[in-house]
Coordinates of all heavy atoms in Angstrom, one line a residue:
A147 N -1.0 -17.9 -14.0 CA -1.9 -17.1 -14.8 C -3.3 -17.2 -14.1 O -4.0 -16.2 -14.1 CB -2.0 -17.6 -16.2
S148 N -3.7 -18.3 -13.6 CA -5.0 -18.5 -13.0 C -5.1 -17.6 -11.8 O -6.1 -17.0 -11.5 CB -5.2 -20.0 -12.6 OG -6.3 -20.1 -11.8
M149 N -4.0 -17.5 -11.0 CA -4.0 -16.7 -9.8 C -4.2 -15.2 -10.2 O -4.9 -14.4 -9.6 CB -2.8 -16.9 -9.0 CG -2.7 -18.3 -8.3 SD -1.1 -18.7 -7.7 CE -1.0 -17.6 -6.2
L150 N -3.5 -14.8 -11.2 CA -3.5 -13.4 -11.7 C -4.9 -13.1 -12.2 O -5.5 -12.0 -11.9 CB -2.5 -13.2 -12.8 CG -1.0 -13.2 -12.3 CD1 -0.1 -13.1 -13.5 CD2 -0.7 -12.1 -11.3
L151 N -5.6 -14.0 -12.9 CA -6.9 -13.8 -13.4 C -7.9 -13.7 -12.2 O -9.0 -13.1 -12.4 CB -7.3 -14.9 -14.3 CG -6.6 -14.9 -15.7 CD1 -6.9 -16.1 -16.5 CD2 -7.0 -13.6 -16.5
K152 N -7.6 -14.2 -11.1 CA -8.5 -14.1 -9.9 C -8.3 -12.9 -9.1 O -8.9 -12.7 -8.1 CB -8.4 -15.4 -9.1 CG -9.0 -16.6 -9.8 CD -8.9 -17.9 -9.0 CE -9.5 -19.0 -9.7 NZ -9.3 -20.3 -9.0
G153 N -7.3 -12.1 -9.5 CA -7.2 -10.8 -8.8 C -5.9 -10.5 -8.1 O -5.7 -9.5 -7.5
L154 N -5.0 -11.5 -8.1 CA -3.7 -11.2 -7.4 C -2.8 -10.5 -8.3 O -2.8 -10.6 -9.5 CB -3.0 -12.6 -7.0 CG -3.8 -13.4 -5.9 CD1 -3.0 -14.7 -5.6 CD2 -4.0 -12.6 -4.6
S155 N -1.9 -9.7 -7.7 CA -0.9 -8.9 -8.4 C 0.5 -9.4 -8.0 O 0.7 -10.0 -6.9 CB -1.0 -7.4 -8.2 OG -2.2 -7.0 -8.5
V156 N 1.5 -9.2 -8.8 CA 2.9 -9.5 -8.4 C 3.7 -8.3 -8.7 O 3.5 -7.5 -9.7 CB 3.4 -10.8 -9.2 CG1 3.4 -10.5 -10.7 CG2 4.7 -11.2 -8.7
M157 N 4.7 -8.1 -7.9 CA 5.6 -6.9 -8.1 C 7.0 -7.3 -7.4 O 7.0 -8.1 -6.6 CB 5.1 -5.6 -7.6 CG 4.9 -5.6 -6.1 SD 4.0 -4.2 -5.4 CE 4.5 -2.8 -6.4
P158 N 8.0 -6.6 -7.9 CA 9.3 -6.8 -7.2 C 9.2 -6.4 -5.7 O 8.5 -5.5 -5.3 CB 10.3 -5.8 -7.9 CG 9.6 -5.6 -9.2 CD 8.1 -5.6 -9.0
Q159 N 10.0 -7.2 -4.9 CA 10.0 -6.9 -3.4 C 11.4 -6.7 -3.0 O 12.2 -7.6 -3.3 CB 9.3 -8.0 -2.7 CG 9.3 -7.8 -1.2 CD 8.4 -6.7 -0.7 OE1 7.6 -6.2 -1.4 NE2 8.6 -6.2 0.5
P160 N 11.8 -5.7 -2.3 CA 13.2 -5.5 -1.9 C 13.6 -6.4 -0.8 O 13.7 -5.9 0.4 CB 13.3 -4.0 -1.6 CG 11.9 -3.6 -1.2 CD 11.0 -4.5 -2.0
C161 N 13.7 -7.7 -1.1 CA 14.1 -8.6 -0.1 C 14.8 -9.8 -0.8 O 14.8 -9.8 -2.0 CB 13.0 -9.1 0.8 SG 11.7 -10.0 -0.1
E162 N 15.3 -10.8 -0.1 CA 16.0 -11.9 -0.7 C 15.0 -12.7 -1.7 O 15.5 -13.1 -2.7 CB 16.5 -12.8 0.3 CG 17.4 -13.9 -0.2 CD 18.1 -14.7 0.8 OE1 18.6 -14.1 1.8 OE2 18.3 -15.9 0.6
A163 N 13.8 -12.8 -1.3 CA 12.8 -13.5 -2.2 C 12.7 -12.9 -3.5 O 12.6 -13.5 -4.5 CB 11.4 -13.6 -1.5

Side-chain angles (χ1 to χ4, degrees):
S148 170
M149 293 167 72
L150 292 172
L151 289 172
K152 290 180 181 175
L154 294 178
S155 300
V156 64
M157 65 190 320
Q159 180 68 17
C161 66
E162 190 173 321

